[in-house]
Amino acid sequence: MDFADIWLSLSKCMRYLKIEKPTVFVFSFFVLSWIYTRHYLYGIIMWSTFIESRQYLDINDAWHPERYSYYSFNSILGFTIL
């Protein structure tokens, strides 16, 4: 679960208990937190993984486990896809 899922679960529980007025507030907070975390923060994380990580490590070193170098373009792409 991430931060937004907590509010979704809470609003569902409140809905099952028939607590109407706070449910609307909690669900509204869920929508706002979901937009912020899934669309803004997730985009920053993806940008950092795919673009910014290259400036800290030598991308030309490629995949050489015998020299403890596991960072290559394919590993960046794999983490981005996952």
Side-chain angles (χ1 to χ4, degrees), residues 18-29:
K18 298 189 187 327
I19 305 172
E20 294 298 322
K21 292 199 187 234
T23 304
V24 174
F25 173 74
V26 171
F27 186 75
S28 301
F29 190 74

Side-chain angles (χ1 to χ4, degrees), residues 1-81:
M1 291 183 81
D2 63 354
F3 181 73
D5 292 336
I6 296 168
W7 300 104
L8 176 63
S9 298
L10 181 62
S11 68
K12 286 171 67 174
C13 288
M14 293 172 77
R15 177 84 172 169
Y16 295 148
L17 293 172
K18 298 189 187 327
I19 305 172
E20 294 298 322
K21 292 199 187 234
T23 304
V24 174
F25 173 74
V26 171
F27 186 75
S28 301
F29 190 74
F30 155 72
V31 170
L32 293 175
S33 65
W34 184 79
I35 290 170
Y36 178 71
T37 57
R38 299 280 171 98
H39 293 283
Y40 178 71
L41 290 181
Y42 185 70
I44 290 174
I45 291 170
M46 295 307 297
W47 176 264
S48 177
T49 302
F50 194 69
I51 303 297
E52 290 182 352
S53 63
R54 296 179 196 179
Q55 67 186 355
Y56 298 112
L57 298 169
D58 186 15
I59 191 65
N60 298 325
D61 198 17
W63 182 270
H64 298 290
E66 64 277 357
R67 290 188 283 162
Y68 302 105
S69 175
Y70 303 100
Y71 194 74
S72 67
F73 181 76
N74 289 335
S75 64
I76 295 171
L77 191 59
F79 280 116
T80 304
I81 289 171

